[in-house]
Amino acid sequence: MGDHKDDHKEQPLRVGAAVRRRRRALDLTLAVVAERSGLSVPFLSQVENDRARPSRTSLEKVADALRTTAVELLAAADPACSVDVVRAETAEPEGAPRVRSLVRGHHQMHASEFIGDHDAGREFQYRNDQLMYVADGAVEIEAEGRAYRLGRGDTLYLTGGVRHRWRATVPDTRLIVVAVAEHIEAVRDRSR
């Protein structure tokens, strides 16, 4: 067992406090969030108190209800470090779609690695610019009415506000998404 004593804390993220802070900032009750997300009030209460760990899908639903993203909630859950190592995951369960954050803490930048497929019907729209890089496999990205096919090593840059969706077209595809964090006002006046 490689024991990385110097690594940032290894325990799972406690996303509850971040969910509660976001909900209170928007002045919403648990009942409103439950109605918007389709999740139950008791479950949401357990999530906020870190007695239940939401699945990625549940966290997406909560994030949608709170008008944010799962990535933002996960980032806000973890204290930021000036130097941090995120180790590659050793266990590789076959075929299961996974996403992991490559940047921990509330920083100016987020990066996530998507492995396998995910909900291709889901449309994304980020406030700030982002870069998509295919580390392995192939993806098809639909943005502003055009389809782009990307293979290993290809990148696609999207300016903030561009609606897009994507799907993996090859099994075990690995997609890296790097974006300027939502809390950073990086949106420039694009009306010109």
Side-chain angles (χ1 to χ4, degrees), residues 87-104:
R87 301 280 173 191
E89 290 172 342
T90 43
E92 289 284 320
E94 284 307 299
R98 295 193 312 293
V99 61
R100 69 187 181 109
S101 187
L102 303 178
V103 178
R104 282 184 286 218

Side-chain angles (χ1 to χ4, degrees), residues 28-40:
L28 299 174
T29 62
L30 274 173
V32 171
V33 177
E35 192 180 319
R36 284 185 186 174
S37 64
L39 302 166
S40 73

Side-chain angles (χ1 to χ4, degrees), residues 13-18 20 45-54:
L13 288 180
R14 301 203 171 280
V15 77
R20 186 186 290 117
S45 174
Q46 285 189 325
V47 166
E48 285 197 0
N49 293 309
D50 284 310
R51 287 201 304 272
R53 274 193 77 190

